[in-house]
Amino acid sequence: MAAEQDPEGRAAARPLLTDLYQATMALGYWRAGRARDAAEFELFFRRCPFGGAFALAAGLRDCVRFLRAFRLRDADVQFLASVLLPDTDPAFFEHLRSLDCSEVTVRALPEGSLAFPGVPLLQVSGPLLVVQLLETPLLCLVSYASLVATNAARLRLIAGPEKRLLEMGLRRAQGPDGGLTASTYSYLGGFDSSSNVLAGQLRGVPVAGTLAHSFVTSFSGSEVPPDPMLAPAAGEGPGVDLAAKAQVWLEHVCAHLGLGVQEPHPGERAAFVAYALAFPRAFQGLLDSYSVRRSGLPNFLAVALALGELGYRAVGVRLDSGDLLQQAQEIRKVFRAAAAQFQVPWLESVPIAVSNNIDEEALARLAQEGSEVNVIGIGTSVVTCPQQPSLGCVYKLVAVGGQPRMKLTEDPEKQTLPGSKAAFRLLGSDGSLLMDVLQLAEEPAPQAGQELRVWPPGAQEPCTVRPAQLCEPLPSLAESRALVQLSLSQLSPEHRRLQSPAQYQVVLSERLQALVNSLHARASP
Amino acid sequence: MAAEQDPEGRAAARPLLTDLYQATMALGYWRAGRARDAAEFELFFRRCPFGGAFALAAGLRDCVRFLRAFRLRDADVQFLASVLLPDTDPAFFEHLRSLDCSEVTVRALPEGSLAFPGVPLLQVSGPLLVVQLLETPLLCLVSYASLVATNAARLRLIAGPEKRLLEMGLRRAQGPDGGLTASTYSYLGGFDSSSNVLAGQLRGVPVAGTLAHSFVTSFSGSEVPPDPMLAPAAGEGPGVDLAAKAQVWLEHVCAHLGLGVQEPHPGERAAFVAYALAFPRAFQGLLDSYSVRRSGLPNFLAVALALGELGYRAVGVRLDSGDLLQQAQEIRKVFRAAAAQFQVPWLESVPIAVSNNIDEEALARLAQEGSEVNVIGIGTSVVTCPQQPSLGCVYKLVAVGGQPRMKLTEDPEKQTLPGSKAAFRLLGSDGSLLMDVLQLAEEPAPQAGQELRVWPPGAQEPCTVRPAQLCEPLPSLAESRALVQLSLSQLSPEHRRLQSPAQYQVVLSERLQALVNSLHARASP
C-alpha cells in the first residue's frame, strides 16, 4: 500500500525520503552478495537535549506506519536508476522492487517513556540492505518527535500542573509536516491543546483558538450585522440586539472605570459583538489591538456583561503584547471590582490567556506564585526548540551475521557499543530510577535484590548496584501521555532540573565492557 | 483537486493545516455578513534573520500550489463542525464547502529575490473570509523556506564560490516535510546538492552521497564477494580480481608510508573494494571508521591505485571527525607524495570532502586561504538554522472594503502599516541597492533621476533620495537560483556582512506617512 493512501495521509514518509548514500550502499551490499546478511542497528542519542538530564522517546507510531507501508514504487526505482550509474546491473533494481519490511523487527522504548544517552530508542534488525535503507527516515521520524516532546515536557515542568498550555507554533514550523509533528508531540509531552486543526483531524489532539487582531481591526464600527439579535442562553424569551445592549453596558463600564465613553474603539467593540453573536457560549476578547486599558478591557466588559444578562458567560480574554504578568494582575483587579460593582461573581474568574514569544524564562515568570495568568500560548519556542533545534540521534550498526560491530574512530565521542543488546532500567525501593544497564542480549537479566557489577562508560573500574525493582521491557501503558507523567515522576529532583549537572547513569554490564575492550585490542594491535 | 493528488504529492499543504482561530473568525465574519468583503493582507517579517542585513524570499511556488488546490473536502468540513459549537448554522458549513481561491489575488516578491523588514513578501487580496483562512498555511510555507534559503546563502557567502556545498540535514529536520523543504530551499540559496533523494525526485535538486561508517564496519574482511572481477574502464581486455590487486598495492603503499601491512583494517579494505566494485567510476573512501592515518588512508590508496591500473579514477575521500582542516592538509600532502611515488598525477587532486556539525564559524575556517578541503557537507546547521530557527513572518490586514486598516497596539514593534501598498526598489547609478520605498498603491511610481521625499520608519523628518534606476515589479528571472546570485551581488559589502550593524533602509512615501499619522490621531483622540 502506498504511503499516500494511509488514512493519516501525508504524515507518513515515503521510502525515497532518504539520503542517497543509503541507496549507493544498498548497491554496494548487493554487489558484495550481502544484501540479506542479518544485521542489527541501534537508534540512540549521545547527550540529553537542552542541558537537562532526560529526554522522552517519541515518534514510534510514525515509524511503525512508515515500516508497514514501506515499498519502492516503480517511479521510485526509476528515479534511483536515473541517479546511479547507467551500467548498474538491472537485477539490483529488481531486488529493490521486491523489498518490504516483512523481515524487519523493531524493538523500541514505548512512546513517551524516558530515554537516556546511549540507550537505544529503536533496535532494528533484518536484512542488511533493508535496515540500512531505513536509517534516514527512522532518524527523521524519531529525532524531532522526541526533541519536541522533551521540550514540551520541560515547559510543562516549568508551568506546573495548573496552567493550561496551548501550542500555537504551526506558522513557525519547518513547513507543513514540521507543524503537524510539533503539534502532535507537544501534546504528548504535556501541552493541553494545539491551534493546529490538522493535528486535531489526523491525530486527535484537542484544538483551541478564538480570534486574531486582524478580526478586530477588520471592523470600523460602521458595519451593520444582518442579524444583531441574540436569544437568551436558556432558549426562552425574546432575543435582544446585542450591539445595543453592549452600548448600554459600555456607559456603566466607562463610568465605573473613569473613562470617557468615546475612548473605547468602536471597531473593536463591533468585532467583539460580531464574535459573540457567532460564539455566545465561547466569547473571548483579544484586548490589545488598540489600548488594553482604555479600549480592549472596557469593550470586553461591555460585551461580556451584555452576554451575561442573557445568561452567557464569557470564557476568557487574551493578551499578545506588553508585560503580560503585570497586565494580568491589573485585569484581574478590574474583573474583581467589576464583579462586585455589577454583581456578577463569575466575572472574577474569567480566564486570562497570554501569548507573545514565550520561552522557558518568560514562562517561569508567568507561572510564579500569585500569577493571574491561566492559559499560556507558546509557538516558536516549543516548535523550533531554539535552545537546541536538533536531538542529534544516530543509527549505528551493532551486529552483522550475529557478529558484534563497533565504530572505533579516533573521536571517542563517536565510538559505538558493539553487539545486540538489552537495556534494563533499575529502580530503587521507592520506585525511583537508579540507572539504566546496557548488556548483551544473551546475558541473563538482572534480578531484583541481587548485587550487580556494572561499568559506567569510560570508567576504569566497575561499580556495584543492588536494584530493588527493575523493568524490562520498559512499562507499556495504553496512554503514552499518561506514561510521560509517570516517567517524569520517576526522575529524581536532581535529574528533573532543566539545567542539570548530574546526568542519569547509563552503565554497561561486565560482559559488554569486556567485549568493548576486546574489540579495541583487536583494532589496535 | 485534492492536494494529495497533486503531482508533487504530500509536499502540498492541506486546507486544515491552519490554526483553529482562522475557522472561528471565519464563522464570525460570516455571521456578521462580511465573508465577502474585499480584504488585503500583507505577509512580511520585522527583522532580518541571523543578525544580518538581508533575507531571501522563498516558498512562493509552494504557496501557488497550495492556493490552486485549496478546497475544503467533506471530511474537513465535518471535522470543523465537530469542533465548533453544535448549534452553528449549517449554512456556514455550506459556505465553507463552496470556497476556493479563484477570487484571491497574490502579488509576491519573485522566488529568490532580496527581502527586507516591512516589505511584503506576499500581498494577498480577496474575500475576507478566504484570505483570513489562508494566513497560517501561507506563513507556514513562506517563513521556513525563506529562512533556510537565507541561511544557505549566508553559508555560500562564507564558503566562497569554489567550495562545493552538500546539504545533508534530512535526519535533523522537523519530520519528513521539514527535510524536503530544507533540501529544496538550501539548493535555492546556493548549495550545490542534497543528500535527500526525495528532493531530487520531486524538486529536481541534484542529489549526492556515497557511503557511511555502517557500510565500512559491516565488513570484517572475511567476506567473499560473489564476483570479485572488474573489467577495465575502457571495456577492453580481461577483468582482474580487485581485492587481490588492492592487496598488492597495499604492500607498496604501506612501504611508502612506513606502516606495517597488518595495520590497515582488513574489514575497511573489504568495504572499499565492495564499494569500488559497485561504483568503479565513482569510488569514494570514508577514512575515519578506524584510524585515518594508519588504516583509512592506506586502504583508500590501495583500492584507488588498483582501480587506477584499470583506468578508473577515484572521486574522493571523506572525513567525518577530528580536525578536518588539518587532516585535509595532511591527506593532500600524502596524495601529492603518492602521486609522485607511483606516477599517478590525478591522485594529487582527488577531492577531499568533510562533514561533522559544521556551522558558520567552522565553515569559515574550512574555507580559508590554502584550505585543501573541496567539498563540505552541512546538515544540522543549514536545516535547523540554530542561530535563529524561525523567521517570525506575520500576516497583517492592511485594507478592508478599500479602507486602510492598522493595528495600533501599544507595542510599537507590533504596529502595522495601513493601506494597499506598492514597494519600489531604488538603485544607484552602479546598479547597487539604495533603499526600498513603500507607498500607497494609488501613488504614482517614483521616477529614475527624480528627487523623492521619503520617511525612514519612526523618523521625525523626511529625507530625500534621487534614484538612478528602479525596479517595479522586482526583477523576475527564469531561474530563481540565478536571481539569488544577482540579488546578493546587488548588496553593498556592508549589507552583505553576516552580522551587520547597518540595516538596509526601507522607507515610507510621504502619503503613506501621512496616512499613518492620521490613523494614529484618530485612535488617540
Side-chain angles (χ1 to χ4, degrees):
Chain A
M1 189 177 76
E4 294 87 319
Q5 286 154 23
D6 185 280
E8 296 198 23
R10 45 174 299 294
R14 292 181 181 190
L16 284 200
L17 189 84
T18 195
D19 292 315
L20 181 62
Y21 75 4
Q22 314 294 1
T24 54
M25 288 190 280
L27 177 55
Y29 290 133
W30 186 84
R31 179 70 168 78
R34 305 189 60 213
R36 298 191 49 77
D37 281 12
E40 180 167 347
F41 283 81
E42 289 177 354
L43 191 156
F44 59 94
F45 57 85
R46 293 184 174 120
R47 250 174 303 201
C48 287
F50 314 122
F54 70 92
L56 296 174
L60 179 60
R61 282 183 313 160
D62 292 337
C63 291
V64 171
R65 205 161 64 238
F66 168 73
L67 295 170
R68 286 210 175 117
F70 183 89
R71 234 174 192 310
L72 290 162
R73 301 168 306 171
D74 280 345
D76 298 336
V77 175
Q78 280 160 23
F79 181 75
L80 286 176
S82 76
V83 172
L84 298 180
L85 300 178
D87 51 0
T88 304
D89 187 341
F92 170 65
F93 298 112
E94 280 315 304
H95 185 73
L96 291 184
R97 278 194 183 85
S98 74
L99 295 179
D100 63 23
C101 288
S102 55
E103 295 177 67
V104 174
T105 303
V106 176
R107 287 172 293 154
L109 294 186
E111 191 84 344
S113 52
L114 287 166
F116 299 103
V119 177
L121 282 75
L122 301 182
Q123 297 171 290
V124 184
S125 50
L128 178 57
L129 186 151
V130 177
V131 291
Q132 179 74 67
L133 275 179
L134 300 177
E135 172 176 16
T136 311
L138 293 181
L139 283 169
C140 182
L141 293 171
V142 166
S143 287
Y144 176 64
S146 300
L147 184 75
V148 79
T150 306
N151 195 26
R154 292 167 62 88
L155 292 164
R156 170 53 75 196
L157 286 171
I158 294 171
E162 299 299 323
K163 305 289 182 209
R164 291 186 59 80
L165 294 179
L166 165 68
E167 177 275 316
M168 38 176 264
L170 172 55
R171 62 189 65 190
R172 307 289 185 235
Q174 291 178 2
D177 193 68
L180 186 61
T181 311
S183 302
T184 306
Y185 294 102
S186 54
Y187 177 63
L188 175 73
F191 273 52
D192 295 290
S193 56
S194 167
S195 68
N196 183 343
V197 184
L198 198 62
Q201 187 183 30
L202 297 185
R203 305 294 182 95
V205 175
V207 291
T210 52
L211 70 167
H213 296 104
S214 54
F215 188 85
V216 176
T217 60
S218 80
F219 287 81
S220 67
S222 62
E223 297 81 5
V224 181
D227 175 10
M229 305 303 282
L230 182 66
E236 309 211 342
V240 301
D241 179 327
L242 187 66
K245 180 69 73 182
Q247 196 64 40
V248 173
W249 273 107
L250 184 72
E251 299 195 13
H252 300 311
V253 166
C254 286
H256 169 65
L257 296 177
L259 294 170
V261 77
Q262 298 306 319
E263 290 190 66
H265 197 289
E268 184 181 53
R269 193 163 56 260
F272 288 177
V273 168
Y275 194 83
L277 285 170
F279 293 94
R281 292 175 207 282
F283 170 59
Q284 189 187 67
L286 173 61
L287 302 188
D288 62 347
S289 299
Y290 305 102
S291 163
V292 173
R293 197 178 59 78
R294 292 181 297 117
S295 183
L297 196 49
N299 278 331
F300 168 78
L301 288 170
V303 177
L305 289 163
L307 279 174
E309 241 191 284
L310 291 164
Y312 300 101
R313 291 186 184 180
V315 301
V317 293
R318 182 162 81 93
L319 291 165
D320 187 44
S321 54
D323 184 329
L324 303 170
L325 183 73
Q326 192 194 324
Q327 289 180 95
Q329 311 297 99
E330 290 165 10
I331 290 167
R332 184 69 67 211
K333 212 177 287 175
V334 170
F335 283 173
R336 289 199 179 114
Q341 170 77 18
F342 303 116
Q343 304 190 340
V344 280
W346 56 264
L347 190 58
E348 277 194 14
S349 53
V350 165
I352 299 173
V354 300
S355 55
N356 190 18
N357 282 322
I358 293 169
D359 59 12
E360 290 192 349
E361 196 183 334
L363 179 61
R365 187 162 174 266
L366 294 171
Q368 70 186 246
E369 188 75 27
S371 163
E372 293 292 352
V373 169
N374 307 100
V375 183
I376 301 165
I378 305 185
T380 312
S381 74
V382 64
V383 164
T384 68
C385 305
Q387 286 191 80
Q388 182 182 327
S390 164
L391 181 53
C393 283
V394 294
Y395 181 87
K396 294 296 173 190
L397 183 70
V398 297
V400 183
Q403 295 304 305
R405 286 289 182 270
M406 184 174 183
K407 180 175 158 193
L408 281 162
T409 168
E410 288 161 23
D411 182 347
E413 158 106 324
K414 289 199 159 192
Q415 290 184 2
T416 60
L417 289 171
S420 184
K421 293 184 280 296
F424 294 86
R425 187 152 290 172
L426 309 187
L427 306 181
S429 52
D430 59 352
S432 67
L433 303 187
L434 287 182
M435 62 184 65
D436 279 16
V437 182
L438 287 171
Q439 57 180 51
L440 294 170
E442 69 260 30
E443 290 187 71
Q447 300 293 319
Q450 294 205 350
E451 196 166 80
L452 195 66
R453 278 161 65 92
V454 296
W455 291 75
Q460 301 301 314
E461 296 285 331
C463 61
T464 57
V465 59
R466 190 193 300 271
Q469 311 164 46
L470 52 88
C471 23
E472 202 281 340
L474 291 158
S476 176
L477 299 183
E479 292 296 325
S480 304
R481 206 154 170 266
L483 180 54
V484 170
Q485 303 313 315
L486 175 67
S487 295
L488 293 175
S489 74
Q490 288 180 312
L491 283 171
S492 70
E494 197 167 40
H495 293 129
R496 203 154 48 203
R497 279 173 57 185
L498 301 185
Q499 299 295 324
S500 179
Q503 298 293 309
Y504 178 76
Q505 277 211 313
V506 175
V507 297
L508 313 188
S509 72
E510 291 233 84
R511 280 183 54 195
L512 180 55
Q513 180 69 40
L515 177 62
V516 169
N517 295 346
S518 76
L519 288 172
H520 264 289
R522 220 185 297 166
S524 322
Chain B
M1 190 176 78
E4 295 85 316
Q5 287 153 25
D6 184 281
E8 297 196 25
R10 45 174 298 293
R14 292 181 180 190
L16 284 199
L17 188 84
T18 195
D19 293 315
L20 182 63
Y21 75 3
Q22 313 294 2
T24 55
M25 288 190 279
L27 177 57
Y29 291 133
W30 186 83
R31 179 72 169 78
R34 304 190 60 213
R36 298 191 47 78
D37 281 13
E40 180 166 345
F41 283 80
E42 288 178 354
L43 190 156
F44 60 94
F45 58 86
R46 293 186 173 120
R47 251 175 302 203
C48 288
F50 314 122
F54 70 93
L56 296 174
L60 178 58
R61 282 182 313 160
D62 291 338
C63 292
V64 170
R65 204 161 66 237
F66 169 73
L67 295 169
R68 287 208 175 118
F70 182 89
R71 234 174 193 310
L72 290 161
R73 302 168 305 171
D74 280 345
D76 297 336
V77 174
Q78 280 160 22
F79 181 75
L80 286 175
S82 76
V83 173
L84 299 179
L85 299 178
D87 51 0
T88 303
D89 187 342
F92 170 66
F93 298 112
E94 280 315 303
H95 185 73
L96 291 184
R97 279 196 182 84
S98 73
L99 295 180
D100 62 24
C101 289
S102 55
E103 294 176 66
V104 173
T105 303
V106 176
R107 288 173 292 155
L109 293 186
E111 190 84 344
S113 52
L114 288 166
F116 298 103
V119 177
L121 282 75
L122 300 182
Q123 297 170 291
V124 184
S125 51
L128 178 56
L129 186 151
V130 177
V131 292
Q132 179 74 66
L133 275 179
L134 300 177
E135 172 175 14
T136 310
L138 293 181
L139 283 170
C140 181
L141 293 171
V142 166
S143 287
Y144 177 64
S146 300
L147 185 75
V148 79
T150 306
N151 196 25
R154 291 168 63 90
L155 292 164
R156 170 52 73 196
L157 286 172
I158 295 171
E162 300 298 325
K163 306 288 182 211
R164 289 185 60 79
L165 295 179
L166 165 68
E167 177 275 316
M168 38 177 264
L170 172 56
R171 64 188 64 190
R172 307 290 185 233
Q174 291 178 3
D177 193 69
L180 185 60
T181 310
S183 302
T184 306
Y185 293 103
S186 55
Y187 177 63
L188 174 73
F191 272 52
D192 295 291
S193 56
S194 167
S195 68
N196 182 344
V197 184
L198 198 62
Q201 188 184 29
L202 297 185
R203 304 296 182 96
V205 175
V207 291
T210 51
L211 70 166
H213 296 105
S214 53
F215 187 85
V216 176
T217 60
S218 80
F219 286 82
S220 68
S222 61
E223 297 82 4
V224 181
D227 176 9
M229 303 304 281
L230 183 66
E236 309 207 344
V240 301
D241 180 327
L242 187 66
K245 179 69 74 182
Q247 197 62 42
V248 173
W249 273 107
L250 185 72
E251 298 194 14
H252 300 310
V253 167
C254 285
H256 169 66
L257 297 177
L259 294 171
V261 77
Q262 297 307 319
E263 290 190 67
H265 197 290
E268 184 181 52
R269 191 162 57 259
F272 288 177
V273 168
Y275 195 82
L277 285 170
F279 292 94
R281 292 175 206 281
F283 171 59
Q284 189 186 67
L286 174 59
L287 302 188
D288 62 347
S289 299
Y290 303 102
S291 163
V292 174
R293 198 178 59 78
R294 290 181 297 118
S295 183
L297 197 48
N299 278 330
F300 168 78
L301 288 170
V303 177
L305 289 163
L307 279 175
E309 243 191 284
L310 291 163
Y312 300 101
R313 291 188 184 178
V315 301
V317 293
R318 182 160 82 92
L319 292 166
D320 188 44
S321 54
D323 184 330
L324 303 171
L325 183 73
Q326 193 194 324
Q327 289 180 93
Q329 311 298 100
E330 290 165 10
I331 289 167
R332 182 69 67 211
K333 213 177 286 174
V334 171
F335 283 174
R336 289 199 180 112
Q341 170 78 18
F342 302 117
Q343 303 190 341
V344 280
W346 57 264
L347 190 58
E348 276 195 16
S349 53
V350 165
I352 299 174
V354 300
S355 55
N356 189 17
N357 282 323
I358 293 169
D359 58 12
E360 290 192 350
E361 196 183 334
L363 180 60
R365 185 161 175 266
L366 294 172
Q368 70 186 245
E369 188 76 26
S371 162
E372 293 292 352
V373 170
N374 306 101
V375 183
I376 301 164
I378 305 185
T380 311
S381 74
V382 64
V383 164
T384 68
C385 305
Q387 287 192 78
Q388 181 182 329
S390 164
L391 181 54
C393 282
V394 294
Y395 181 87
K396 294 296 173 189
L397 183 69
V398 297
V400 182
Q403 295 303 305
R405 286 288 183 270
M406 183 174 183
K407 181 176 158 193
L408 281 161
T409 166
E410 288 161 21
D411 182 347
E413 159 106 324
K414 289 200 159 192
Q415 290 185 3
T416 60
L417 289 171
S420 182
K421 292 184 280 297
F424 294 86
R425 188 152 288 174
L426 309 187
L427 306 183
S429 52
D430 60 351
S432 67
L433 303 186
L434 287 181
M435 62 185 64
D436 280 16
V437 182
L438 286 170
Q439 57 180 51
L440 294 169
E442 69 260 29
E443 290 188 72
Q447 300 293 318
Q450 294 205 350
E451 196 165 80
L452 194 66
R453 278 160 67 89
V454 295
W455 291 76
Q460 300 302 313
E461 296 285 329
C463 61
T464 57
V465 59
R466 190 193 300 272
Q469 311 165 46
L470 53 87
C471 26
E472 202 279 340
L474 291 159
S476 175
L477 299 184
E479 292 296 325
S480 305
R481 206 154 170 266
L483 180 54
V484 169
Q485 302 315 314
L486 175 67
S487 296
L488 294 175
S489 74
Q490 288 180 312
L491 282 172
S492 70
E494 196 167 40
H495 293 129
R496 202 153 50 204
R497 279 173 56 186
L498 302 185
Q499 298 295 322
S500 178
Q503 298 292 309
Y504 178 76
Q505 276 211 311
V506 175
V507 298
L508 313 187
S509 71
E510 291 234 82
R511 281 182 56 192
L512 180 54
Q513 181 69 40
L515 176 63
V516 169
N517 295 345
S518 76
L519 288 172
H520 263 289
R522 220 186 295 167
S524 323

